[in-house]
Amino acid sequence: MSNRLADITRPCTDKAGPHSMWLWFLARTGDPVAKLLEPGFRGDAYALYERMRSQGPVHRSRTGMLAVLSYDHCSQVIQDPRFSTCELPARPAGKPAPAPQATVDGPGGPRVKGFDPAYAVAAPLLQPALHQSAIRIDTTAHDLLRQHADADSLDLVDDFAFPLAVACLSAVLGIPPAYSARFAGICDVIGRPTHGAPSKADAEAAHDAHEDLAALVIRLEHERRQNPGGDLISRLTASRGGDKTGGDLAGLLDHVRRRSRQEAQDTGVAGRPGIASGELNLEEVAQVCRILVASGLDTATCLIGNAVAALEAHPDQWQMLRSAPQLASRAVEETLRFDPPHQFALRTPSEQVEVAGHTVPPGSGVLVMLAAAHRDSNRLPDPARFDLTRSSQPGHLAADGAMRLGNSLARLTGEIALRTLASRLPEPRPAGRAVRRPGGAVSGFIHLPFRAPTTV
C-alpha cells in the first residue's frame, strides 16, 4: 500500500498537496491535517477532527489545504461540478483513481450529481446482481467460520473479511469455477492491504494483475454475450447494445489498453461512444469491474473489521444484534457513519469558489472530511455514540462513483458477515493485539484476532 506523497498525481503535487519534507515538519509542529496525511499516522483521527471543528465548519491548514468538516459543506463540495478528484497519498499503488464525481448514499437511495455515466449505468445493475448472490455469500460466511471452529483464534481480516469479500465479488461478477483460483490471485494482489511503501516488484505485480483482470473480464463478456445470466458482467454486457468492438481476445485487450491510455490524457468524458444512449462500450465494462474489485474489496474488508471492533467495544450493541439479527443492516449503516473506511477525499476547484466564507483559489486542495461530516452534531444527536437504534440520520456521503459502487458491495458483504458472526459468537473476545492500518485516509485493520467461534 502506498502512503507516499510522491504517489500523488503530478497536478496534485504541484497545486494541491504539500511535499513530503514540508508535511513531515508541519506534522511535527502540530498541524492536524499534516498529521492525518502522514504515511505512518496511527493516532486518533476523530480527536483531530473535533480539534479542527472547534474552530468552525472548515479549517485552514498550514499545508495550504482547506479541511471541510461540516456535513452540509462537505455535501456542497462533493456535489459541486467545479471540483474535481485528486489522488490522496493513501491510495494503494497500482489501484486506479476514480473519476471526479459525487453521490450521497441513504435509505432513500443515492442522490447523484456529476456521476460518471459508466458508473451511473452500472449502479442499478449491481443491485440485482448483489441480491442474487446473497445465498451463496451467506453459505461462504458460515463455511469460513466452520474452517476455524477447532482453532484457538481467527483473524477477522485475513481469515474472514477478505476471503468473504472475494467470494462476494466472485459471485456478483459470475466468475466460473474454472477461473476462481485465477480471480482469487488477482484479488490478492489488487485488494489486500500491505505494509509500508510498495517495492518495484509490488508495483509490477499490481500492473500485471490489473491487466489479467481486464483480460478475464473481456473473455467472460464474450461468453456472456452468447449465454447471459444474472451476474453483473452479463447485465453490463446487455447494456452494451449493438457495440461489437473487435473480434479476437488479444485484439480486444489491446483496444482496452489503448483507450485507457488515451482517456488518461483527456480532461473530459464528452463524446465517448455508448454514453449518450446509456450503453457501455467494452473498455467501460472492464473499467467498472476493475473499479469494483479495487474499491469493493478494500471497503468491504475495512467495513467488517470496523463494525466488529465497534460492536466489541459496545457489548450492549452486540447483544442487541444477537437477539435481533435483522439489525445487521442497521449495524452496517451505523458503521459507515461511526467509522467509515473512507475517511476523507481530496478535491481541487477549476475556478475560484467560496466554501463557508473561505475563498478557495483554482487548483488548491480541499479535503472533504467525510468521517467528520458523519459526526456533525448539527445533523444528529450524540454523534460519537455507536447506536444501532438510530431511527434516522442523514445519508452517507460518498465522494465519487467508485466509492458508491464499493459501498454497495460492502453493505451486502458486511450485513451477511455480521449476521453470521452474531449467530456464532456469544460475545466477541479479542485473541491478540489489533493492528490498525497506517495513514489517515483509510480506516481499517491489518490484523484483528478474535477467539474462534465454538457454536455451530
Side-chain angles (χ1 to χ4, degrees):
M1 179 177 67
S2 173
N3 288 318
R4 298 172 300 170
L5 280 170
D7 292 328
I8 304 178
T9 54
R10 179 56 53 190
C12 298
T13 306
D14 292 342
K15 298 181 181 180
H19 292 278
S20 55
M21 289 302 295
W22 181 233
L23 183 75
W24 180 89
F25 172 77
L26 292 178
R28 294 302 178 277
T29 55
D31 187 274
V33 169
K35 287 184 177 182
L36 288 167
L37 291 177
E38 268 213 299
F41 174 76
R42 293 182 184 273
D44 185 349
Y46 294 98
L48 292 178
Y49 299 150
E50 291 309 310
R51 173 181 159 191
M52 290 186 281
R53 199 198 303 274
S54 67
Q55 302 173 18
V58 299
H59 172 80
R60 179 71 71 177
S61 166
R62 286 183 292 150
T63 62
M65 291 189 283
L66 189 73
V68 183
L69 300 139
S70 77
Y71 182 95
D72 291 339
H73 289 106
C74 283
S75 180
Q76 171 197 335
V77 170
I78 65 174
Q79 296 195 66
D80 190 332
R82 294 173 295 177
F83 285 91
S84 60
T85 297
C86 216
E87 272 195 83
L88 281 164
R91 179 170 296 281
K95 296 184 182 181
Q101 314 303 333
T103 65
V104 181
D105 290 338
R111 300 192 301 277
V112 181
K113 183 173 182 179
F115 196 49
D116 183 272
Y119 296 135
V121 172
L125 301 178
L126 176 59
Q127 293 304 320
L130 284 168
H131 290 303
Q132 178 176 288
S133 307
I135 295 177
R136 177 176 165 185
I137 302 164
D138 183 78
T139 300
T140 301
H142 284 279
D143 288 345
L144 287 169
L145 292 184
R146 288 192 191 98
Q147 291 170 17
H148 295 85
D150 296 329
D152 292 333
S153 65
L154 80 160
D155 191 311
L156 258 294
V157 176
D158 286 340
D159 299 330
F160 185 69
F162 185 81
L164 184 62
V166 172
C168 183
L169 273 168
S170 181
V172 167
L173 296 177
I175 305 298
Y179 297 119
S180 59
R182 176 182 175 185
F183 181 71
I186 291 171
C187 290
D188 203 56
V189 174
I190 292 177
R192 190 179 291 277
T194 57
H195 299 268
S199 64
K200 182 179 179 181
D202 292 333
E204 290 175 351
H207 177 271
D208 291 344
H210 280 295
E211 289 212 339
D212 196 19
L213 177 61
L216 178 58
V217 170
I218 288 169
R219 179 178 293 277
L220 293 177
E221 194 274 348
H222 267 251
E223 294 178 1
R224 305 294 158 73
R225 193 185 302 166
Q226 302 300 321
N227 297 291
D231 57 89
L232 182 61
I233 293 179
S234 292
R235 296 172 191 273
L236 292 172
T237 299
S239 76
R240 288 185 54 205
D243 184 5
K244 306 298 183 186
T245 306
D248 66 294
L249 293 178
L252 285 168
L253 180 56
D254 185 59
H255 173 72
V256 170
R257 291 168 178 161
R258 289 197 308 270
R259 280 297 299 270
S260 296
R261 287 193 295 268
Q262 179 61 46
E263 289 185 4
Q265 301 169 8
D266 295 339
T267 57
V269 295
R272 287 189 291 170
I275 288 299
S277 63
E279 299 171 358
L280 298 185
N281 55 44
L282 181 62
E283 57 268 27
E284 286 161 342
V285 171
Q287 176 69 0
V288 165
C289 294
R290 186 177 71 167
I291 287 294
L292 186 61
V293 170
S295 177
L297 274 176
D298 210 29
T299 305
T301 303
C302 289
L303 174 65
I304 294 170
N306 292 356
V308 173
L311 287 163
E312 186 271 330
H314 298 81
D316 60 320
Q317 300 297 299
W318 179 261
Q319 293 306 321
M320 187 183 301
L321 176 61
R322 275 185 54 80
S323 61
Q326 67 273 18
L327 289 177
S329 60
R330 285 270 190 96
V332 166
E333 296 303 317
E334 179 67 347
T335 303
L336 285 171
R337 183 203 66 79
F338 180 80
D339 190 15
H342 302 283
Q343 294 274 295
F344 50 83
L346 181 59
R347 293 291 179 266
T348 58
S350 58
E351 60 186 74
Q352 182 171 297
V353 297
E354 295 287 325
V355 179
H358 290 253
T359 299
V360 184
S364 58
V366 175
L367 280 174
V368 183
M369 314 303 279
L370 302 169
H374 293 149
R375 292 197 183 191
D376 188 344
S377 60
N378 292 320
R379 278 292 194 146
L380 72 166
D382 200 4
R385 186 181 81 250
F386 186 83
D387 184 3
L388 302 187
T389 65
R390 291 186 188 275
S391 57
S392 63
Q393 59 187 36
H396 298 117
L397 297 172
D400 49 52
M403 190 180 295
R404 157 109 165 83
L405 292 179
N407 283 354
S408 293
L409 184 125
R411 278 183 166 94
L412 177 66
T413 313
E415 181 178 345
I416 291 173
L418 294 178
R419 193 169 59 238
T420 304
L421 288 168
S423 70
R424 301 286 302 278
L425 295 175
E427 58 179 323
R429 292 186 298 160
R433 187 173 68 91
V435 180
R436 278 269 183 189
R437 289 175 59 159
V442 178
S443 175
F445 291 87
I446 294 175
H447 295 296
L448 192 59
F450 276 84
R451 297 296 179 189
T454 57
T455 58
V456 294

